[in-house]
Amino acid sequence: MKPDLKYLFIPVIAIAMSCGTDRKVREPAVLEADDFAHYAAYFNRMEDENIRQAIPNDSAWTWMKANIPLFECPQDNFEEMYYYRWWSVRKHIKQTPQGYGITEFLVERSYADKYNLISCALGHHIREFRWLHHPEYIEQDVQVWYRGNDGGRMKKLRSFSSWTAAALYDRYLVNGDKDFIIGMLPDLVDEYRAWEGDRQREDGLFWQNDVKDGMEESLSGGRHERNVRPTINSYMYGNARAIAQIARIKGDSLLAQQFDDKAETLRQLIQKKLWNASDRFFETYTQADSSANVREAIGFIPWYFNLPEQGRGYEEAWQQVKEEEGFLAPFGLTTAERRSPRFRTHGSGTCEWDGAVWPFATAQTLTAMANVLNGYEQGYIHKEDYFKHINLYVESQYYRGRPYIGEYLDETTGYWLMGDRERSRYYNHSTFNDLLINGLVGLRPRADDTIEVNPLIPEGTWDWFCLDNIPYHGDIITVLWDKTGEKYHRGKGLRIYRNGKEVGHTTRLEKVIARP
């Protein structure tokens, strides 16, 4: 399907010049940006900057100040990690002949596409970048992927399973840009049908090698086994749902119904064949048409897309994040259950998805966990569990006493297993700030103009915090919690501001709905 030429590339210089000139300029309501400049200065000093891309270290704070929401809280490592992850992701913005691209590794990789781009974490990139004030970075990256090969898809876009359509719709829920999302619809439909053409089985489920999920040497599969994995099937469900929603925005009810039907068919197949009733978990279904009979973190991915139906007992799977024999380890969520005799026994030595902690998977699981806590009636996990795991995630992102994000780490020692290799440094393969904004602080994007905030911070944990300068539906949103009223002097409780005007308030850390 040929893309609409209206949405092909605009010269980078033109976009940079126009960026911000036609949008209302609004300031943070509570926080002062320069109060946080010291973070960028410290991060700049702690490294040698041997690789410079579009925005070098000496421009890091200028870029951060112009782009990111501001955050402060009483727990220093959370605040430091928030700014570190924005500072590090900025390193991956690369100027290409066709617009900005977002890299995964800073060093060149032999299996990358043009411009050293790798599609594996594209969904993570979209989720993280959706909170920036300037949209051109992720929009151009997406267009490079879909139209950077003589107007068509890059050759390696489909080297890895993806949830791009779902991520782009989630981005639309933040910025409300109908033109961009409708402009991408033909590309997303074309990609979906390509997956149906070479990865869909006769029964309607999708197969994938674990390496093409970016999860090589897993307990349930292998580099050449054509297994029905919770990953690709959940992604395709999420993509179908998203395409249906985008079609509705465009006014194409026939296309919307077609993809709604695809999604619902997949939902029923996943629940029927991938749910292991004995293990109470979504598990890989092997090419031999039997369950792999092992719990892996990929079994939580269905909730990333709110796939499992309520009232059928699926939420019991989340008990496993609370058990040390399950996925709870001293330094985070493991990628396989620790009780398995195959745990950490057959990794390849360079990419071990048989139990070690991978931020890629942690980010997916925490996103899914937030969805459960926001949208499902269940009694297995609570705010305390979410905070415990995001706290472990923060604590794990240090190496030799400094903030660090790399490939994967030992679940019991916290040691980064590739930490001394240049390829691992600043590995852009996960989200963090999206988890903090969307999960912990709890801004839940919606298609309407209602602002919904549901913090997943347990009562008594933090006496105050503020997330400010959040771009949302063309406005600037502020979320502020002040238990005593003495920190921000705006009264006690949780307050929501739109463009500096209070639009919602409650005295407790609980859900707030601010209607337009």
Side-chain angles (χ1 to χ4, degrees):
M1 188 174 294
K2 193 172 182 179
D4 188 341
L5 294 177
K6 175 182 177 183
Y7 296 99
L8 287 174
F9 303 113
I10 300 171
V12 174
I13 294 176
I15 290 179
M17 291 175 63
S18 67
C19 182
T21 59
D22 58 353
R23 75 161 60 90
K24 296 178 182 178
V25 178
R26 299 188 175 96
E27 299 294 327
V30 177
L31 303 179
E32 294 289 338
D34 286 338
D35 289 344
F36 306 97
H38 63 93
Y39 284 113
Y42 166 56
F43 304 147
N44 288 346
R45 292 194 305 270
M46 77 180 192
E47 62 125 30
D48 55 358
E49 196 184 18
N50 58 326
I51 298 174
R52 294 161 62 95
Q53 299 203 122
I55 303 157
N57 283 1
D58 56 15
S59 300
W61 177 244
T62 299
W63 180 87
M64 292 167 70
K65 186 176 179 179
N67 275 284
I68 70 171
L70 303 173
F71 175 67
E72 73 170 1
C73 72
Q75 193 164 331
D76 292 347
N77 58 350
F78 269 78
E79 187 174 302
E80 179 178 59
M81 194 55 59
Y82 177 82
Y83 290 100
Y84 174 74
R85 289 299 299 261
W86 284 128
W87 178 87
S88 62
V89 80
R90 170 265 328 167
K91 285 178 166 290
H92 289 274
I93 300 171
K94 183 172 187 174
Q95 202 159 15
T96 81
Q98 303 195 69
Y100 288 116
I102 311 297
T103 58
E104 180 177 315
F105 295 92
L106 292 182
V107 299
E108 296 288 325
R109 304 304 299 154
S110 61
Y111 50 85
D113 212 319
K114 288 192 294 187
Y115 320 126
N116 201 36
L117 300 183
I118 298 171
S119 64
C120 185
L122 180 56
H124 281 323
H125 297 169
I126 295 167
R127 291 275 300 205
E128 198 85 332
F129 274 75
R130 65 178 175 158
W131 300 107
L132 296 181
H133 284 259
H134 290 180
E136 63 266 26
Y137 304 109
I138 196 62
E139 288 182 358
Q140 290 182 29
D141 179 59
V142 168
Q143 290 181 329
V144 168
W145 272 115
Y146 282 87
R147 303 171 190 175
N149 185 24
D150 296 326
R153 294 192 301 263
M154 295 272 273
K155 292 181 179 179
K156 297 184 179 181
L157 173 65
R158 295 181 58 245
S159 289
F160 296 96
S161 311
S162 90
W163 65 101
T164 308
L168 285 174
Y169 180 72
D170 286 343
R171 178 178 180 268
Y172 161 76
L173 294 179
V174 171
N175 67 14
D177 186 346
K178 293 183 180 180
D179 288 343
F180 181 81
I181 198 71
I182 291 172
M184 290 302 304
L185 182 58
D187 305 82
L188 300 173
V189 170
D190 186 54
E191 181 194 18
Y192 194 99
R193 289 174 175 160
W195 284 111
E196 288 180 313
D198 60 19
R199 285 294 188 275
Q200 193 168 33
R201 304 184 343 158
E202 290 185 2
D203 63 3
L205 289 164
F206 291 83
W207 65 267
Q208 187 60 289
N209 316 118
D210 60 5
V211 67
K212 294 301 184 179
D213 268 339
M215 301 176 178
E216 52 266 55
E217 310 304 335
S218 67
L219 292 190
S220 64
R223 291 173 176 263
H224 306 291
E225 294 178 37
R226 297 185 172 190
N227 289 339
V228 178
R229 294 168 58 79
T231 44
I232 188 171
N233 286 281
S234 297
Y235 299 164
M236 298 305 289
Y237 169 86
N239 288 337
R241 281 283 184 237
I243 289 171
Q245 294 284 47
I246 298 165
R248 286 191 187 88
I249 296 169
K250 184 182 179 182
D252 190 336
S253 58
L254 290 178
L255 186 64
Q257 187 60 58
Q258 178 186 357
F259 275 86
D260 272 338
D261 291 344
K262 290 177 184 289
E264 186 57 31
T265 298
L266 260 181
R267 184 210 293 263
Q268 298 305 325
L269 287 169
I270 291 166
Q271 291 179 156
K272 179 180 179 180
K273 288 199 171 182
L274 273 62
W275 178 254
N276 186 323
S278 297
D279 288 346
R280 311 299 295 165
F281 212 78
F282 286 106
E283 297 176 358
T284 294
Y285 196 68
T286 72
Q287 61 186 18
D289 287 336
S290 63
S291 175
N293 291 313
V294 63
R295 300 182 185 93
E296 298 171 291
I298 57 176
F300 297 118
I301 291 177
W303 283 277
Y304 190 106
F305 306 98
N306 296 298
L307 182 157
E309 294 176 275
Q310 292 200 53
R312 298 180 63 175
Y314 299 123
E315 295 87 0
E316 186 179 344
W318 288 93
Q319 180 66 31
Q320 298 299 322
V321 303
K322 301 167 67 172
E323 297 182 4
E324 293 182 358
E325 298 83 4
F327 297 87
L328 175 59
F331 280 88
L333 288 158
T334 56
T335 48
E337 60 179 335
R338 302 177 76 195
R339 65 171 60 83
S340 171
R342 292 176 281 171
F343 182 81
R344 295 296 302 275
T345 60
H346 68 285
S348 66
T350 56
C351 290
E352 301 176 54
W353 281 81
D354 57 350
V357 175
W358 280 81
F360 184 103
T362 300
Q364 288 183 324
T365 303
L366 287 173
T367 299
M369 191 185 302
N371 286 345
V372 172
L373 291 169
N374 276 275
Y376 288 78
E377 293 183 6
Q378 51 80 43
Y380 296 100
I381 51 171
H382 305 89
K383 288 183 178 182
E384 290 77 9
D385 301 302
Y386 186 86
F387 190 86
K388 178 175 185 174
H389 281 291
I390 200 167
N391 187 61
L392 286 174
Y393 191 32
V394 171
E395 291 177 346
S396 72
Q397 294 177 71
Y398 285 86
Y399 187 62
R400 303 189 188 281
R402 298 173 178 176
Y404 180 90
I405 182 63
E407 293 187 70
Y408 64 114
L409 59 144
D410 185 279
E411 72 282 357
T412 57
T413 66
Y415 181 77
W416 287 92
L417 296 167
M418 301 278 284
D420 291 320
R421 298 196 186 188
E422 182 64 27
R423 60 173 270 181
S424 182
R425 190 161 62 146
Y426 310 120
Y427 192 38
N428 187 22
H429 203 237
S430 61
T431 58
F432 177 79
N433 293 324
D434 181 67
L435 297 172
L436 188 144
I437 296 168
N438 182 225
L440 190 68
V441 172
L443 177 56
R444 308 295 293 179
R446 300 167 52 129
D448 61 18
D449 284 332
T450 298
I451 302 172
E452 178 180 336
V453 175
N454 185 27
L456 299 183
I457 303 165
E459 290 277 0
T461 303
W462 291 349
D463 286 347
W464 52 266
F465 70 80
C466 183
L467 182 65
D468 201 352
N469 199 35
I470 314 163
Y472 185 73
H473 290 208
D475 296 316
I476 298 297
I477 305 301
T478 307
V479 181
L480 177 154
W481 163 250
D482 192 343
K483 182 177 180 179
T484 65
E486 297 176 0
K487 173 66 177 179
Y488 299 109
H489 305 289
R490 293 169 181 254
K492 298 178 181 180
L494 181 66
R495 298 176 186 274
I496 313 301
Y497 298 87
R498 188 200 302 262
N499 302 323
K501 180 181 178 181
E502 184 176 310
V503 293
H505 169 245
T506 179
T507 57
R508 301 184 60 190
L509 269 176
E510 60 188 2
K511 182 186 289 188
V512 177
I513 301 291
R515 305 192 186 280

